[in-house]
Amino acid sequence: MTTRAALLETKAVLRLADRTWARWSCPSTAECCQLATTRRPPWLWPSEWAVLEEHLAHEGRALPPPRADGGCPFLDESGKRCTVYEARPFGSRTFFCHRVR
């Protein structure tokens, strides 16, 4: 499989995950993104990294450095909003949250 094909298939899987979870709402607390606290960082397949890299390149941004608070490096400065929400990996899209409605 080519890199481009893997990228397209990964994006299709991510869209399917979004559709599957669409009936539940996220409280947007970013608790799930506090990786040092949850001890459940998402493990990314190479094609998921490629989706993130493509997203960052499109926005003219570089891969962010680790956060001092142990949160996901893709959180904004406040630690409350995902800066790559559209390109977030599967594990971030499907993280079980006790606050889900």
Side-chain angles (χ1 to χ4, degrees):
M1 178 180 291
T2 67
T3 302
R4 184 73 187 143
L7 190 63
L8 291 173
E9 288 196 25
T10 299
K11 288 178 180 182
V13 168
L14 297 176
R15 284 191 302 273
L16 180 59
D18 286 347
R19 283 195 305 271
T20 301
W21 291 98
R23 62 183 171 191
W24 290 280
S25 64
C26 172
S28 300
T29 62
E31 288 177 47
C32 56
C33 304
Q34 302 307 320
L35 307 179
T37 302
T38 66
R39 298 178 197 248
R40 292 178 60 192
W43 300 102
L44 281 63
W45 288 96
S47 60
E48 289 179 287
W49 276 112
V51 169
L52 281 170
E53 289 169 344
E54 179 185 74
H55 181 82
L56 291 172
H58 179 73
E59 292 188 342
R61 296 188 309 160
L63 189 66
R67 290 177 58 92
D69 64 3
C72 176
F74 292 107
L75 287 172
D76 66 3
E77 281 187 30
S78 72
K80 298 292 183 191
R81 293 279 179 224
C82 180
T83 63
V84 293
Y85 191 79
E86 303 81 24
R88 70 197 187 286
F90 186 79
S92 298
R93 291 169 193 258
T94 60
F95 189 92
F96 175 76
C97 176
H98 67 282
R99 294 179 186 264
V100 73
R101 299 181 297 263

